[in-house]
Amino acid sequence: MKKRKFAVLISMVMGTLLLAGCGAGQKTDAEAESAVIQEDPAAEDSAVIEEEADETPVDGTAQEQTVTEEEEEDVTAAEEEQVVRIGSLKGPTSIGLVYLMGQAEKKETANAYDFTMAVTADELLIAMLSEELDIALIPANVASVLYNRAEGDVAVIDINTLGVLYMVTGDDKIKGIEDLKGRTVYMTGKGTTPDHVMQYLLGANELTASDVTLEYKSEAMEVAAVLAEDPAAVGVLPQPFVTVACAQNENLSATIDLTKEWAAVQGEGGSSLVTGVTVVRKGFLSQAKEAVDQFLDDHAVSAAYANEHVEETAQMVAAAGIIEKAAVAEKAIPACNITYLEGEEMKQALSGYLTVLCEQDPASVGGGLPGEDFYYSR
């Protein structure tokens, strides 16, 4: 019944998916509507029933089936092994997982893991709603959207990535948000999280729409193209596009880290600019709490490895296809703000961030802030 309930909710979620990321690689409304939804499980169930009915002997007696001790042992072993199905986005949120992916492939982890990497957040949301995934690494605001649409049936268990947005320009006069007065800023995702973050930071620095013109492009590469043509222009880009753009044009540099600007506005004890979080289905959490807690331990180790062993991680990132070239990955990783926060520290950083987004646009967090049960603490 829960799967069918989640299937019904899929169409409700699709309308909010464009709020998900940094503007690059998102689907249009038409593409989202064309997403393939699995057929009703009831249809398969009835087909199986008919097939089994055909196999029933004419005299109505049940066929005797024998199960060997070896078969019983295989079934027991299969039931005891808990496979944790994890989905992540092809980008910074997966960089902190690559070490764990490698350990799992070599069967050096306590849990058995099955990893899936997706290009867009909607793929992961559908998989979570249809219970094809147990855990997913998704944009922070999308986690709140999922919580609201799934009637509270998901919980956030850690923050895996802080802000990945940077101001990129060749103009050395741009050193802070206040320096943007009278300028045009090129960015992606009108009405999405980067837009809300930029609007918040402009307002916090007493700048209005009449002071700064925001010009939106459909994807990050378009912003990079503008900067390549005119290095004096100003653009907002996420990693690893920042590293790619600067590598292609030596006149460009990341002059403003929006994560630091956010922290400066919030002050000590305030929220953080959060990009990616990790969520779990509460149904899975209730059945496999030990496996979830073990994943948290593994994730913490994997994230730390990414920050402490950048060169080795860059090789794994390239091998996994997250960033095409290891050399680019090695330059980008330190600026991707890979992190691991859980418990009260996670709640403080994330709840404040979602509050700011909700004040900007309630739809960006699914219509309202999630309840206390959204935050998991072991």
Side-chain angles (χ1 to χ4, degrees):
M1 290 299 292
K2 186 175 290 186
K3 286 189 178 181
R4 296 184 190 176
K5 170 185 169 185
F6 278 178
V8 171
L9 288 170
I10 289 174
S11 61
M12 297 171 63
V13 172
M14 297 302 287
T16 59
L17 290 175
L18 290 179
L19 299 171
C22 292
Q26 295 194 15
K27 294 189 177 181
T28 63
D29 288 339
E31 289 172 325
E33 291 173 359
S34 66
V36 178
I37 307 299
Q38 291 187 342
E39 295 181 0
D40 185 353
E44 294 183 5
D45 291 343
S46 61
V48 172
I49 291 172
E50 288 183 10
E51 183 178 346
E52 290 177 347
D54 291 341
E55 295 176 357
T56 302
V58 177
D59 61 4
T61 59
Q63 291 181 335
E64 183 179 357
Q65 296 185 5
T66 59
V67 179
T68 66
E69 290 184 4
E70 183 177 347
E71 288 173 330
E72 286 180 342
E73 290 176 358
D74 290 341
V75 171
T76 301
E79 289 176 346
E80 289 178 351
E81 182 180 40
Q82 179 67 67
V83 178
V84 184
R85 302 167 300 174
I86 301 172
S88 61
L89 284 170
K90 185 180 179 182
T93 54
S94 288
I95 292 176
L97 270 185
V98 291
Y99 178 74
L100 177 56
M101 290 177 180
Q103 295 297 100
E105 187 175 355
K106 293 183 288 187
K107 300 188 183 303
E108 296 178 355
T109 56
N111 285 340
Y113 292 114
D114 179 21
F115 292 96
T116 298
M117 200 179 305
V119 176
T120 58
D122 60 331
E123 297 174 60
L124 298 179
L125 289 184
I126 292 174
M128 286 290 285
L129 290 170
S130 59
E131 299 186 11
E132 295 174 10
L133 289 176
D134 306 310
I135 291 173
L137 285 71
I138 55 180
N141 73 304
V142 178
S144 179
V145 171
L146 179 58
Y147 172 90
N148 283 308
R149 298 309 183 195
E151 299 180 356
D153 206 21
V154 295
V156 61
I157 55 177
D158 71 42
I159 293 174
N160 55 64
T161 317
L162 295 177
V164 296
L165 295 173
Y166 292 81
M167 200 78 68
V168 179
T169 183
D171 188 345
D172 58 9
K173 296 177 182 178
I174 305 297
K175 301 182 184 300
I177 298 294
E178 65 277 4
D179 298 325
L180 297 176
K181 188 172 184 177
R183 301 298 299 267
T184 295
V185 177
Y186 299 90
M187 60 185 299
T188 61
K190 182 177 177 60
T192 65
T193 302
D195 188 19
H196 296 314
V197 169
M198 195 64 200
Q199 298 281 4
Y200 170 69
L201 292 176
L202 289 174
N205 285 272
E206 300 181 351
L207 295 174
T208 66
S210 61
D211 296 317
V212 181
T213 300
L214 299 181
E215 186 167 325
Y216 301 94
K217 299 297 182 180
S218 60
E219 58 182 37
M221 289 309 297
E222 287 188 43
V223 176
V226 172
L227 297 175
E229 186 175 335
D230 179 13
V234 182
V236 174
L237 286 171
Q239 286 289 2
F241 292 99
V242 174
T243 299
V244 173
C246 293
Q248 292 176 344
N249 189 332
E250 61 182 13
N251 294 317
L252 296 176
S253 63
T255 59
I256 303 175
D257 181 345
L258 297 193
T259 303
K260 291 182 179 179
E261 292 292 327
W262 182 287
V265 170
Q266 287 285 305
E268 187 177 353
S271 68
S272 300
L273 177 53
V274 181
T275 294
V277 301
T278 307
V279 296
V280 63
R281 290 188 300 102
K282 287 184 179 176
F284 180 76
L285 177 60
S286 65
Q287 298 171 0
K289 183 181 184 302
E290 289 185 6
V292 173
D293 288 347
Q294 179 62 55
F295 165 76
L296 289 175
D297 292 338
D298 293 341
H299 195 189
V301 171
S302 189
Y305 185 92
N307 290 318
E308 296 167 5
H309 302 273
V310 175
E311 183 178 353
E312 295 87 344
T313 300
Q315 295 293 334
M316 291 185 280
V317 165
I322 299 171
I323 298 176
E324 185 177 350
K325 296 181 179 179
V328 174
E330 188 171 349
K331 292 180 179 179
I333 289 172
C336 282
N337 281 321
I338 306 301
T339 191
Y340 176 85
L341 301 175
E342 65 167 300
E344 190 60 33
E345 189 177 11
M346 170 193 73
K347 181 180 178 181
Q348 179 177 324
L350 180 57
S351 62
Y353 171 70
L354 294 178
T355 297
V356 171
L357 291 188
C358 189
E359 290 171 349
Q360 294 279 319
D361 179 10
S364 67
V365 294
L369 293 173
E372 290 292 315
D373 62 320
F374 179 58
Y375 303 96
Y376 171 70
S377 181
R378 51 176 169 164

